[in-house]
Amino acid sequence: MLVKWIRCAVVDRVGFDRGQRKWAGLLGEPGFLAQGGGWSRSQPGVVHLFGFWESRAFYDSFMARSYDRLAASQQGSYQDLRVRLFEYRFDVKMGFEPRFTDADLLRVAHTRVHEERAEHFALMQEKVWNPAMAGSPGMLRGVFAQAEPESEFLVLSMWKSAAERAKYRTERVERLALRAQTGADIAAITGDVIDMDPSWTV
């Protein structure tokens, strides 16, 4: 499964929103699974969107055939567009499904790892971080994915509400980071919390 992460800064909210609803046209595309996203809590005007495709081949076919037509309606409504593609590695909580309809909040963590530590980082995600996140009330599901080059990772988690995510407390995170030797693995990390816009869910 392919995970697409899109980040941009919106300069025309009305135009962007109108154009975003037109992405409902993805529903007829072979290999398309789901798309959803919303507004960053920490950076005003920044949008994050996530799309799921059965494979890179289906995605590439869509990009060659239909992307320009769907994207045309949003021209000029955003700037600083960044797109990254990741391959699914494993679920963060068992039974991952690529859907957004029951989530109010998304949490994304994007990590660049020292190359020689990539497999250790993935193992610690599986053995230390995943059980902690899966046990958090309100965490619905999540996915751990890896990009080319292989030392770049994405963790996307879906939550029922902001109040529930707040229970995943800072001191607990710090304890887990020590146990997982996160400091030795990570070269750079960025993250964000995203308020879902249900009208953009496909």
Side-chain angles (χ1 to χ4, degrees):
M1 185 166 60
L2 185 77
V3 186
K4 180 180 185 177
W5 175 27
I6 305 154
R7 179 195 176 282
C8 64
V10 172
V11 293
D12 169 9
R13 284 180 84 115
V14 174
F16 184 87
D17 181 67
R18 194 186 307 121
Q20 196 56 44
R21 291 161 193 256
K22 293 202 168 132
W23 288 93
L26 284 166
L27 284 171
E29 289 293 331
F32 172 74
L33 299 172
Q35 182 169 285
W39 298 94
S40 163
R41 289 194 149 200
S42 61
Q43 303 165 81
V46 168
V47 159
H48 297 272
L49 294 156
F50 300 90
F52 291 91
W53 293 80
E54 281 178 32
S55 69
R56 179 68 188 258
F58 278 123
Y59 170 75
D60 286 343
S61 170
F62 158 73
M63 289 300 288
R65 286 180 299 99
S66 309
Y67 172 81
D68 289 345
R69 176 175 51 80
L70 286 170
S73 60
Q74 279 179 306
Q75 284 297 320
S77 67
Y78 61 85
Q79 59 193 22
D80 190 25
L81 179 72
R82 296 179 210 171
V83 177
R84 297 294 292 137
L85 300 175
F86 298 83
E87 287 288 342
Y88 167 89
R89 281 277 303 256
F90 48 75
D91 297 355
V92 172
K93 188 173 185 174
M94 293 302 289
F96 179 80
E97 293 172 48
R99 64 185 171 88
F100 296 90
T101 46
D102 53 351
D104 294 329
L105 196 82
L106 304 175
R107 171 78 174 89
V108 61
H110 176 223
T111 311
R112 291 182 196 281
V113 174
H114 299 296
E115 212 170 308
E116 71 282 3
R117 303 282 297 186
E119 280 314 306
H120 179 266
F121 177 78
L123 182 69
M124 290 301 99
Q125 178 67 40
E126 200 170 8
K127 304 291 185 204
V128 176
W129 292 103
N130 281 10
M133 287 176 76
S136 295
M139 208 284 260
L140 299 167
R141 67 186 76 83
V143 64
F144 179 79
Q146 186 168 6
E148 301 291 340
E150 293 179 354
S151 50
E152 191 178 338
F153 297 89
L154 181 82
V155 179
L156 174 65
S157 53
M158 304 178 184
W159 299 75
K160 265 185 203 156
S161 70
E164 294 293 354
R165 202 199 81 76
K167 294 176 187 170
Y168 191 57
R169 290 180 302 278
T170 308
E171 64 271 16
R172 187 175 178 210
V173 170
E174 286 169 357
R175 273 205 316 275
L176 291 167
L178 279 172
R179 204 170 125 210
Q181 302 171 350
T182 305
D185 291 347
I186 289 175
I189 185 165
T190 56
D192 212 343
V193 177
I194 300 133
D195 285 314
M196 288 283 296
D197 187 321
S199 68
W200 299 350
T201 298
V202 185

